[in-house]
């Protein structure tokens, strides 16, 4: 395992630095131009806030105007969702979102715990798991997930490993172990994928 910041993983696959990357990658059309993916969960974006949600944030963009919202560098949240929401705030005559992008989600979560930001926008299942691991110091806001999609492990285009990783993931998802893993790490039921989804990617 090689720890890396989110925004360096896909370029690292393309350059041959890494053989495989796992970091909550939503399988977008743009990303599929430069990498192949093996699906393992249905993801989506939510926002983590301090317990009690003191600023009353939600996944509705109007609640985020003028707030300090963190996200990871190179993520869909930082590149697309937050800029889009900030533009909507300005167009509506509201203060823009103060988007603060961090090299890692650990840094973003630390900013939330220390009160430097009002919320952290990230992949909902991983945020839920991180809250549990950290002793539940924060919670997810109400509202439907933003930009739902399939998340997967990324491999270089046409990698000889892709077929083997897909076969292994298909077998795993079709076994009792998948439910045991998702239960252990508090993955919501609606985030699971089927073996057919993995094999058909």
């Amino acid at each position: 395992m090689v720890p890396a910041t989110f925004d360096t993983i896909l370029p690292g696959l393309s350059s041959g630095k890494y053989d495989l990357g796992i970091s909550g990658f939503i399988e977008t059309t743009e990303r599929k131009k430069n990498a192949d993916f093996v699906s393992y969960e249905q993801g989506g974006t939510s926002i983590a806030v301090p317990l009690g949600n003191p600023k009353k944030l939600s996944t509705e963009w109007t609640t985020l105007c003028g707030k300090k919202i963190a996200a990871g560098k190179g993520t869909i949240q930082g590149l697309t969702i937050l800029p889009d929401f900030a533009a909507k705030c300005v167009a509506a005559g509201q203060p823009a979102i103060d988007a603060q992008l961090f090299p890692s989600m650990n840094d973003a979560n630390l900013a939330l715990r220390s009160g430097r930001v009002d919320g952290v926008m990230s992949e909902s299942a991983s945020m839920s798991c991180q809250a549990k691991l950290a002793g539940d110091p924060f919670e997810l806001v109400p509202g439907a997930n933003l930009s739902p999609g399939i998340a997967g492990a990324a491999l270089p285009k046409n990698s000889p490993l892709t077929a083997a990783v897909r076969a292994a993931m298909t077998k795993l998802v079709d076994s009792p172990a998948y439910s045991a893993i998702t239960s252990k790490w508090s993955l919501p039921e609606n985030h699971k994928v089927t073996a057919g989804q993995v094999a058909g990617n």
Side-chain angles (χ1 to χ4, degrees):
M1 293 290 291
V2 181
T5 57
F6 186 89
D7 57 336
T8 66
I9 298 174
L10 292 182
L13 291 172
S14 297
S15 69
K17 183 176 182 179
Y18 306 126
D19 299 307
L20 181 147
I22 301 180
S23 190
F25 291 110
I26 297 295
E27 301 171 18
T28 65
T29 301
E30 189 65 27
R31 285 175 175 164
K32 286 184 176 181
K33 292 178 182 177
N34 300 303
D36 292 327
F37 290 88
V38 176
S39 307
Y40 59 77
E41 71 156 319
Q42 299 191 59
T45 291
S46 189
I47 303 167
V49 294
L51 291 177
N53 193 6
K55 297 290 180 75
K56 306 305 177 189
L57 306 184
S58 75
T59 53
E60 169 56 46
W61 65 268
T62 55
T63 69
L64 306 180
C65 298
K67 304 299 190 298
K68 295 178 180 179
I69 306 298
K73 288 183 178 178
T75 64
I76 287 177
Q77 294 83 16
L79 293 173
T80 304
I81 300 176
L82 279 175
D84 178 56
F85 281 8
K88 288 181 177 179
C89 290
V90 172
Q94 299 295 319
I97 295 169
D98 182 0
Q100 301 193 16
L101 305 184
F102 291 85
S104 77
M105 291 315 300
N106 284 338
D107 295 327
N109 292 340
L110 179 60
L112 178 64
R113 287 196 293 272
S114 64
R116 289 181 286 134
V117 297
D118 301 311
V120 175
M121 185 178 284
S122 185
E123 203 278 326
S124 58
S126 63
M127 290 298 295
S128 176
C129 175
Q130 289 169 39
K132 180 178 179 180
L133 290 174
D136 297 314
F138 51 83
E139 63 186 62
L140 299 186
V141 300
N145 278 345
L146 303 166
S147 300
I150 301 292
L155 296 99
K157 270 293 190 187
N158 304 311
S159 168
L161 292 175
T162 302
V165 173
R166 181 168 290 123
M169 190 66 70
T170 301
K171 185 172 182 179
L172 172 65
V173 167
D174 206 25
S175 75
Y178 185 59
S179 289
I181 292 168
T182 56
S183 175
K184 176 179 178 180
W185 298 106
S186 303
L187 186 75
E189 194 67 26
N190 64 354
H191 279 247
K192 293 181 181 180
V193 293
T194 65
Q197 286 175 303
V198 178
N201 181 3

